[in-house]
Amino acid sequence: MTLKIAANLTMMFNEHEFMDRFSAAARCGFKGVEYLFPYDYPAEAIREQLDANGLKQVLFDFPAGDWAAGDRGIAVQPNRVGGFQDGVGLAVEYAETLGCERLTCLAGIPDDGTDSEVAEQTMIRNLQFAADAAARIGATVLVEPLNTRDVPGTHVSKSAHGAQLVQAADRKNVRLQFDVYHTQIMEGDIATKFSKLLPIIGHVQIADNPGRHEPGSGEINYPFVLDHIENSGYDGWIGAEYMPAGDTESGLGWFKQYL
């Protein structure tokens, strides 16, 4: 089995304007792409880039609030449920046009004074709403724990909590997004965690630590980790969600064996 690795166009190929990153990724051998958000561009224009370059749209995120102002998702904020639901509608429209089967739900940071249980129940209800909307186009909603060093105060930071939310949502199309970088920072024990969570994992992302650079640039033994993922029987996509230490193409030595 050959691993299916997608380029994250939010972080990779930043030498190019966003709409030119699709062709750059395809030239380097990628067959799939993901990114955080497509909403600044018409869905039809993105679809043209996908089709022209023979690429699969693997994943993107629901609208996550005002990113520049520090929002990292709004799913745990009770006073923004309406905005969350509107964002789900927009994301599903884009996903249908782009043929995208995975949508990530970032929990976000609870407002000051919000009770943690209120935030938790808000997240669960929002996941259920999102899952029901995504089911209409055959898409899966993913819960992604983020590390608290990069996102202080994030409501979901551990894989066990992510798994609890998947179970609490009680929808067949809600699964866990397993990000090796975030898991390494918060928990370590990558291989054991991955094996335990495999039945509910719907997507994997990779980057090394420290620095969130290319696999092989830091402390994570990526030859072992990727072999472990491959041998586990996981047949989904793996998103290369890292910030190249230099120009993107020069740092792709790790990827060439998977072409």
Side-chain angles (χ1 to χ4, degrees):
M1 182 174 64
T2 301
L3 294 176
K4 299 187 298 184
I5 299 177
N8 186 292
L9 301 186
T10 299
M11 295 191 178
M12 300 173 68
F13 298 103
N14 276 248
E15 303 87 355
H16 309 280
E17 294 297 324
F18 180 76
M19 295 298 278
D20 296 326
R21 295 174 196 172
F22 295 85
S23 58
R27 286 195 301 272
C28 289
F30 289 98
K31 302 299 182 185
V33 294
E34 61 175 43
Y35 36 70
L36 290 179
F37 312 112
Y39 310 111
D40 287 340
Y41 306 89
E44 294 76 10
I46 297 175
R47 184 62 195 243
E48 288 176 4
Q49 289 300 315
L50 293 169
D51 292 345
N53 292 288
L55 292 168
K56 169 69 175 174
Q57 181 65 56
V58 171
L59 168 144
F60 60 86
D61 293 9
F62 290 123
D66 188 340
W67 197 266
D71 282 336
R72 293 297 180 267
I74 59 174
V76 296
Q77 298 181 6
N79 63 333
R80 299 174 81 175
V81 169
F84 178 85
Q85 293 182 353
D86 289 344
V88 167
L90 179 63
V92 169
E93 288 179 9
Y94 267 79
E96 187 170 24
T97 299
L98 300 177
C100 183
E101 299 172 351
R102 297 163 199 82
L103 295 165
T104 301
C105 178
L106 297 177
I109 303 165
D111 291 323
D112 291 342
T114 299
D115 180 81
S116 62
E117 184 58 27
V118 171
E120 183 82 352
Q121 293 304 314
T122 301
M123 174 83 176
I124 292 168
R125 288 192 295 271
N126 279 332
L127 283 172
Q128 292 170 334
F129 177 90
D132 292 343
R136 294 198 292 269
I137 62 166
T140 296
V141 174
L142 299 163
V143 179
E144 183 183 18
L146 304 178
N147 78 77
T148 56
R149 186 172 68 200
D150 292 346
V151 189
T154 184
H155 182 71
V156 184
S157 62
K158 298 285 187 69
S159 58
H161 189 185
Q164 289 169 4
L165 286 163
V166 170
Q167 182 177 18
D170 194 26
R171 297 291 190 274
K172 291 181 179 180
N173 64 328
V174 175
R175 297 176 70 79
L176 183 72
Q177 186 161 313
F178 187 90
D179 189 303
V180 175
Y181 166 75
H182 292 302
T183 306
Q184 171 70 5
I185 292 171
M186 296 303 297
E187 307 174 57
D189 200 17
I190 298 297
T192 302
K193 291 271 188 324
F194 181 86
S195 295
K196 180 179 179 181
L197 296 166
L198 180 59
I200 63 167
I201 290 174
H203 188 61
V204 175
Q205 290 180 321
I206 56 175
D208 220 323
N209 183 62
R212 202 171 190 171
H213 298 314
E214 292 88 346
S217 64
E219 67 186 2
I220 302 173
N221 184 351
Y222 264 108
F224 174 85
V225 168
L226 291 174
D227 282 350
H228 180 79
I229 291 172
E230 185 171 18
N231 293 333
S232 75
Y234 174 77
D235 61 357
W237 285 89
I238 298 173
E241 192 189 37
Y242 66 82
M243 298 178 288
D247 71 277
T248 303
E249 192 165 353
S250 296
L252 288 176
W254 69 273
F255 170 65
K256 296 189 185 305
Q257 63 181 300
Y258 301 106
L259 289 172

